[in-house]
Amino acid sequence: MICILLVAGHGTVLETQIKNDVTGLYGHLAGVPKALLPGIGGRKVLDFWWETVNTRQLFSEVYLVTNADKYKHYERWATANGFPVENVVNDGTTTLEGRLGAVADLELAIRSRRLQDDIMVIAGDMLCADQNFDIAQVIRFFRSKPGELVIYYELEEGEKSSSRGIVEVCPDTHRVTCFLEKPQQGRTTSRLASVVFYCLRRETLPYLSRFLSLQPCVQNRTLGLFWEWLINEEKVPVFGMKLPTGFQLIGQVGLDDYTKWLARYSAKQQGSAGKPISYRSYARVGLMGNPSDGFHGKTIAMTVSNFWAEVTLTESQSLVLLPHPLNDPTEFGSLQDLYCISCKEGYLGGLRLLQATCKKFYQFCSEQGIALSKQNFTLKYDTNIPRQVGLAGSSAIVSATLKCLMKFFNITDRDLPKPIRANFILNVETDELFITAGLQDRVVQVYEGLVYMDFSKELMGKRGYGEYIPMDMRDLPTFWLAYLGDPSDSGRIHSNVRQRWLNGDADVVQAMKSFAKLTDQARSALERKDWPRLAELMDENFELRRSVYTEECLGPGNLKMVQLARQFGSSVKLPGSGGAVVGLCLDSERLMAMKDAFQEAGCVFCVIVPFSPTTTSSQCRN
């Protein structure tokens, strides 16, 4: 592949304003081409692009196209920076009025140097906010697609779409369906801006001369209009890749633009360097419908602030995953100590969850055409969610890790919407780690709060996710939670129900439909604030579960907790896969007495503190 850096523009506005600046701050920059002005970190703007593409493993040659007016500047820059001077192409123009146009400059370089290879084209005078992105990812994505490639970014607040080439991109195929060069307001809702950063296949290069033959006026020989013609009229397959960063100093800009964006991007880079990023995700309790989420049912679940998993990401030289001192032990007091801990807690701590999330995140971004920065980091986690009691402790760690990665790499909700994020978390556990799980936990931990979920077969088959509706959390009654002090593996509770469901077992199929009906009734009770009816439905949920899973599968520990709660007149059910119970006791005196009874029985008991998404403690804590 060959790279061509375009710096042939005549930046008359910026040069004139620098020359006429009365402050004296920019006098030393008079006559300096835009690409050779100081960029982020003091490096020249062009220095960054040359360092980015100066890799023989990726490019066989790199060319620089400039004009006659600035040729000497770039010749000296090339000599000082190890750029082959013979690869500096002079287009012979000296004024803005006499310019060739970007498309003609590109075609000149290809024709004069007889280039017959795939081409990457970059404007060498663009200011890029991300000084660490991996250009190898761009090439890999280009080669994976049967067409050309345009790079785009999401416009920042305040940037007008009328100043950029705007692309509309199919989220499934990543094909650019429409390219609009500086569209008028209201013509498109897209905020995805294309920049002069493209990949062209060898067989597509003849389109450049065809376009030039159609455009005798130099004003129309822009790369934006070329892509608009190639995509909208010629229907050539062009794909889009997102860089989660910003680009500025494009085209004719003034001194105010230069100083503003240089200051903003420099401050952003300095402000983010070394600052830890921390996020929490919370345990959840299934209030109704579970475990039908894995069987096209409906559920209602709620996040609770009593228990959480927190992940912290810090930028570092190498990528490091730190083991948790308790959950990922590497030192033991003795062989007997190792034996006892292994028997009780097994061999699977949280470290594998961090690793699997990172692996899946990179895979997702690669497949979605999102180029990530070449930045390393250190990840560590902490959690107080009790293990093996069905409170979604594993998915909480995955969810918090994903939040940190999205923040660190500037991945937005548009790139990874909440419904898809829940699927992502589930896939980390099921595809990578073979953990038996359903979508309920991941959905409620992504949306947070009290959430109604419909996983109907029709919805899941049509769009890959269900209907997720956040519910009003004001004036909720007091729920309680109890769990076994020494739980068994909660995953065993699923028994053979899934296989029976897959086989079309009438009892199981009907049970899952009944769970869904109970959930709709519970939603109505919550909206009416009919707490006695909600308590009745919670009991019905448990009895239905007992009938389909059998007492043998539920286990004596779970049954004992249910029986104990009912002695105090409380409703009770399993909030997850087993090892814990959740209930609703409307009598405060009985609630306190029940707490004492659970504690005497060796269980841990607490009053639930619901977690609302409006609470700030789940937000970024950097």
Side-chain angles (χ1 to χ4, degrees):
M1 190 171 206
I2 293 170
C3 180
I4 297 177
L5 300 172
L6 297 178
V7 291
H10 295 271
T12 56
V13 176
L14 181 57
E15 286 189 31
T16 300
Q17 291 183 358
I18 288 176
K19 181 180 178 180
N20 297 332
D21 177 59
V22 296
T23 67
L25 296 175
Y26 305 101
H28 63 293
L29 299 177
V32 176
K34 184 170 63 169
L36 299 183
L37 292 174
I40 299 171
R43 292 189 298 177
K44 295 180 176 66
V45 175
L46 183 57
D47 289 347
F48 163 71
W49 290 111
W50 172 228
E51 291 174 17
T52 299
V53 303
N54 185 18
T55 306
R56 280 288 177 183
Q57 295 172 323
L58 301 178
F59 301 103
S60 58
E61 291 288 349
V62 179
Y63 291 88
L64 185 77
V65 184
T66 184
N67 56 53
D69 186 45
K70 301 300 181 185
Y71 178 80
K72 272 295 178 183
H73 286 274
Y74 289 110
E75 184 182 55
R76 292 185 180 179
W77 170 86
T79 302
N81 289 274
F83 188 95
V85 177
E86 64 274 15
N87 284 4
V88 179
V89 180
N90 186 341
D91 75 358
T93 67
T94 57
T95 64
L96 178 65
E97 293 73 23
R99 70 191 184 279
L100 298 183
V103 178
D105 279 320
L106 176 59
E107 194 271 340
L108 170 66
I110 294 170
R111 174 170 43 83
S112 65
R113 301 309 170 98
R114 298 178 180 178
L115 305 183
Q116 296 181 347
D117 200 351
D118 295 339
I119 303 288
M120 177 179 285
V121 184
I122 301 174
D125 57 1
M126 287 190 305
L127 186 65
C128 179
D130 181 0
Q131 299 284 290
N132 297 293
F133 79 86
D134 186 0
I135 202 163
Q137 290 184 70
V138 176
I139 296 175
R140 285 195 296 270
F141 189 72
F142 166 60
R143 288 175 174 163
S144 73
K145 297 297 180 182
E148 322 314 309
L149 181 67
V150 299
I151 297 298
Y152 64 86
Y153 75 102
E154 195 163 351
L155 289 172
E156 297 188 39
E157 187 176 350
E159 284 190 90
K160 296 181 179 179
S161 58
S162 58
S163 66
R164 296 284 187 269
I166 301 299
V167 293
E168 296 175 0
V169 184
C170 173
D172 298 321
T173 65
H174 314 297
R175 182 166 175 171
V176 179
T177 56
C178 184
F179 190 109
L180 299 172
E181 175 66 356
K182 299 178 181 178
Q184 294 181 347
Q185 186 176 2
R187 193 174 175 193
T188 178
T189 59
S190 175
R191 298 279 295 170
L192 305 179
S194 169
V195 294
V196 181
F197 193 157
Y198 318 113
C199 293
L200 286 156
R201 294 177 298 168
R202 173 182 174 180
E203 53 267 33
T204 308
L205 299 181
Y207 278 94
L208 293 167
S209 56
R210 281 184 55 191
F211 175 78
L212 291 172
S213 69
L214 298 172
Q215 302 293 346
C217 296
V218 67
Q219 292 88 345
N220 296 329
R221 292 183 165 189
T222 67
L223 284 164
L225 290 177
F226 167 75
W227 287 105
E228 190 175 59
W229 169 76
L230 193 70
I231 293 168
N232 301 354
E233 297 183 30
E234 296 299 306
K235 306 300 182 183
V236 172
V238 177
F239 296 85
M241 186 177 199
K242 180 183 181 183
L243 284 183
T245 184
F247 294 88
Q248 291 299 330
L249 307 189
I250 300 170
Q252 292 291 338
V253 297
L255 183 57
D256 286 344
D257 293 308
Y258 170 68
T259 56
K260 178 183 73 173
W261 288 108
L262 179 59
R264 180 181 297 189
Y265 285 171
S266 297
K268 183 183 292 186
Q269 186 180 50
Q270 293 172 2
S272 61
K275 268 192 174 182
I277 298 169
S278 293
Y279 277 102
R280 281 186 176 182
S281 285
Y282 292 85
R284 68 88 194 93
V285 289
L287 294 180
M288 192 62 57
N290 59 302
S292 72
D293 55 312
F295 305 90
H296 297 308
K298 299 178 182 180
T299 67
I300 296 173
M302 179 174 69
T303 46
V304 300
S305 60
N306 309 62
F307 303 107
W308 45 262
E310 181 175 276
V311 174
T312 300
L313 183 153
T314 307
E315 188 172 356
S316 56
Q317 289 294 316
S318 57
L319 202 158
V320 180
L321 306 179
L322 295 177
H324 191 277
L326 292 178
N327 299 326
D328 306 289
T330 57
E331 293 186 21
F332 302 88
S334 65
L335 189 59
Q336 181 184 13
D337 184 35
L338 181 150
Y339 169 80
C340 293
I341 290 175
S342 301
C343 287
K344 183 178 181 179
E345 300 182 6
Y347 309 100
L348 305 176
L351 202 60
R352 63 182 180 139
L353 299 168
L354 302 184
Q355 185 172 352
T357 307
C358 290
K359 187 250 188 184
K360 204 73 174 177
F361 179 79
Y362 181 87
Q363 179 182 338
F364 173 85
C365 291
S366 297
E367 293 173 350
Q368 294 299 311
I370 301 172
L372 300 177
S373 300
K374 291 190 292 185
Q375 293 174 279
N376 284 327
F377 52 86
T378 294
L379 276 178
K380 64 178 181 178
Y381 77 97
D382 193 14
T383 181
N384 70 348
I385 302 176
R387 299 179 65 177
Q388 300 181 350
V389 296
L391 296 180
S394 294
S395 58
I397 294 174
V398 176
S399 175
T401 303
L402 181 58
K403 290 178 185 177
C404 288
L405 292 172
M406 290 179 66
K407 177 69 174 180
F408 184 67
F409 287 106
N410 195 28
I411 303 303
T412 66
D413 287 345
R414 178 188 175 91
D415 301 319
L416 190 50
K418 285 184 176 181
I420 307 304
R421 208 178 307 165
N423 290 352
F424 176 99
I425 296 168
L426 178 64
N427 290 338
V428 168
E429 298 181 82
T430 56
D431 295 353
E432 298 296 322
L433 301 173
F434 307 106
I435 297 173
T436 300
L439 261 174
Q440 169 189 253
D441 304 355
R442 292 83 203 155
V443 171
V444 73
Q445 286 173 331
V446 167
Y447 282 80
E448 299 181 327
L450 183 67
V451 184
Y452 168 88
M453 294 161 270
D454 181 355
F455 303 100
S456 75
K457 186 175 182 179
E458 181 181 0
L459 286 173
M460 297 298 293
K462 182 178 180 180
R463 61 188 190 184
Y465 57 89
E467 185 74 22
Y468 310 138
I469 303 175
M471 299 184 65
D472 186 2
M473 297 186 70
R474 291 173 296 180
D475 304 320
L476 286 176
T478 301
F479 295 98
W480 58 266
L481 177 74
Y483 58 90
L484 299 169
D486 184 17
S488 60
D489 183 358
S490 62
R492 294 173 190 165
I493 198 161
H494 289 300
S495 183
N496 65 346
V497 169
R498 171 160 293 278
Q499 190 57 53
R500 290 169 58 197
W501 181 75
L502 291 172
N503 293 339
D505 184 300
D507 292 337
V508 175
V509 171
Q510 183 56 47
M512 297 308 160
K513 293 179 180 179
S514 298
F515 278 123
K517 291 179 181 178
L518 289 175
T519 301
D520 285 334
Q521 294 176 44
R523 178 184 179 184
S524 177
L526 282 161
E527 291 172 343
R528 299 193 315 270
K529 303 191 185 302
D530 186 348
W531 310 138
R533 178 55 181 155
L534 179 62
E536 292 175 359
L537 292 167
M538 291 176 71
D539 282 331
E540 290 182 38
N541 195 118
F542 176 77
E543 291 306 323
L544 179 59
R545 186 167 186 169
R546 176 169 17 203
S547 70
V548 71
Y549 279 90
T550 74
E551 291 190 355
E552 182 180 4
C553 292
L554 292 180
N558 292 316
L559 294 172
K560 181 180 178 181
M561 288 190 291
V562 170
Q563 185 179 15
L564 184 58
R566 287 182 172 174
Q567 291 176 8
F568 292 87
S570 175
S571 68
V572 63
K573 65 179 293 294
L574 272 62
S577 54
V581 290
V582 62
L584 176 56
C585 183
L586 302 176
D587 186 319
S588 58
E589 292 185 2
R590 286 190 172 189
L591 179 64
M592 291 300 101
M594 182 172 57
K595 174 184 176 181
D596 294 338
F598 268 98
Q599 292 175 338
E600 290 174 7
C603 298
V604 180
F605 184 98
C606 64
V607 172
I608 288 176
V609 181
F611 178 79
S612 166
T614 57
T615 307
T616 58
S617 57
S618 74
Q619 306 306 311
C620 181
R621 299 152 67 88
N622 60 347

